[in-house]
Amino acid sequence: VEIGGKPFHSLAFLAVVGLSLMAGGYWFVGLCYSRGYDYFLWLYNAWLVGETAWRGSWPNWSAYSAAGHPFFKTAGVADAFIFSLFTQSAGFELGTQIYTCLLYVTAGAGMYALVCHLGGARTGAVVAAAAYVFSWFMTFTVYYQTYLNNFLTYAIMPWAALFFIKAIAEQSRRYLFAAAGMLFLSVTSNAQVSIKLILFVVPLAFVETVICRSLSWRRWFAYSAVLGAMALSWAVFLIVPALELRKEVFLLGGLRSVQFIKPWEVLV
């Protein structure tokens, strides 16, 4: 596989995969969960998708379901669809273990590819990948808090940076849409944490393209503006229902009239 002209060296890449599995291998010993309800929150969202969307029915989008949102919180959409693929095929316990370990591998491989593309040696890329998957904020998020939707953002963050840098350097709409796709997964998983992805991707692209490669800062600004506009449009999908949720009046179940509201009508 070619990433920016630098091939994935088999031994180095296998080392990255091995180190990533070491970082997340404890999940195969037993499930981890936080002191609160966090793991069960993501598990519920995955279960809801498995019981509705993958069976051909749409969840109940109504004014009384989180202000038009079928999930328990006004977040966790994209990661619920991805997570549900594993829980539906391998069960809740094994599916969670496989999903989490694969996120570790995705994070490690992404950092390896990014460092190689930025001109680093393969050995340096392996060290960077190991530092990333064993970093404190990564292990704290996944092991102690079990914020699996946050972990999805951290796993795809290096890939988003790689695609965005290549989009600017090569003036490629294909790579821009790939970076936007990574951002879409992050925003629709957790809009707040997706800010971290933007704060990592956009400044890094400025350093690499404008400072290191002496490309036009106007090109960087234009691509960043397009990426930001996409992020805002997706964030509205989560922010508007969250604001409406503040107006919700709690009524007895018998007094509620559950009216079907389409997702796009919630935005309007």
Side-chain angles (χ1 to χ4, degrees):
V1 180
E2 294 286 337
I3 300 293
K6 293 184 178 295
F8 270 85
H9 189 272
S10 57
L11 184 59
F13 183 65
L14 288 177
V16 169
V17 173
L19 289 168
S20 301
L21 290 176
M22 285 177 60
Y26 57 85
W27 276 83
F28 283 115
V29 178
L31 292 177
C32 301
Y33 54 90
S34 70
R35 295 178 299 174
Y37 61 88
D38 305 304
Y39 166 65
F40 304 101
L41 171 61
W42 321 133
L43 196 62
Y44 166 77
N45 286 345
W47 170 84
L48 180 61
V49 171
E51 291 295 312
T52 55
W54 296 132
R55 297 189 180 186
S57 61
W58 193 255
N60 180 27
W61 292 75
S62 69
Y64 304 104
S65 176
H69 205 293
F71 293 93
F72 187 70
K73 292 177 65 179
T74 51
V77 181
D79 60 300
F81 275 86
I82 299 174
F83 190 13
S84 65
L85 295 175
F86 296 89
T87 57
Q88 289 293 307
S89 59
F92 290 113
E93 183 171 351
L94 181 60
T96 301
Q97 293 169 325
I98 296 174
Y99 172 66
T100 308
C101 287
L102 282 179
L103 286 182
Y104 271 103
V105 174
T106 302
M111 186 57 69
Y112 175 84
L114 177 62
V115 173
C116 285
H117 178 73
L118 296 179
R122 287 193 294 265
T123 52
V126 172
V127 172
Y132 189 59
V133 296
F134 281 101
S135 60
W136 178 87
F137 78 93
M138 188 85 81
T139 54
F140 180 83
T141 295
V142 186
Y143 175 74
Y144 186 72
Q145 293 182 321
T146 320
Y147 283 174
L148 295 184
N149 69 336
N150 293 15
F151 188 31
L152 176 63
T153 291
Y154 297 144
I156 64 178
M157 187 182 296
W159 293 105
L162 173 63
F163 293 144
F164 191 58
I165 290 172
K166 290 176 70 68
I168 298 174
E170 302 177 15
Q171 300 187 64
S172 170
R173 284 178 292 182
R174 179 165 57 96
Y175 282 117
L176 177 61
F177 285 132
M182 300 291 101
L183 182 57
F184 171 79
L185 292 179
S186 179
V187 171
T188 52
S189 295
N190 193 315
Q192 290 176 313
V193 180
S194 65
I195 298 174
K196 296 182 180 181
L197 185 145
I198 296 176
L199 292 178
F200 174 76
V201 169
V202 176
L204 179 63
F206 179 82
V207 172
E208 171 64 16
T209 59
V210 179
I211 297 179
C212 296
R213 302 193 186 188
S214 300
L215 300 178
S216 172
W217 68 268
R218 292 183 178 85
R219 187 194 304 178
W220 166 85
F221 182 81
Y223 278 75
S224 299
V226 171
L227 195 68
M230 291 180 178
L232 287 176
S233 66
W234 298 322
V236 168
F237 184 67
L238 302 176
I239 293 172
V240 171
L243 295 177
E244 290 296 323
L245 185 60
R246 300 174 59 184
K247 306 176 183 177
E248 183 168 338
V249 178
F250 291 95
L251 300 173
L252 295 176
L255 300 178
R256 288 190 173 191
S257 58
V258 180
Q259 180 183 2
F260 180 79
I261 300 177
K262 300 179 180 62
W264 49 90
E265 289 180 352
V266 175
L267 279 179
V268 174

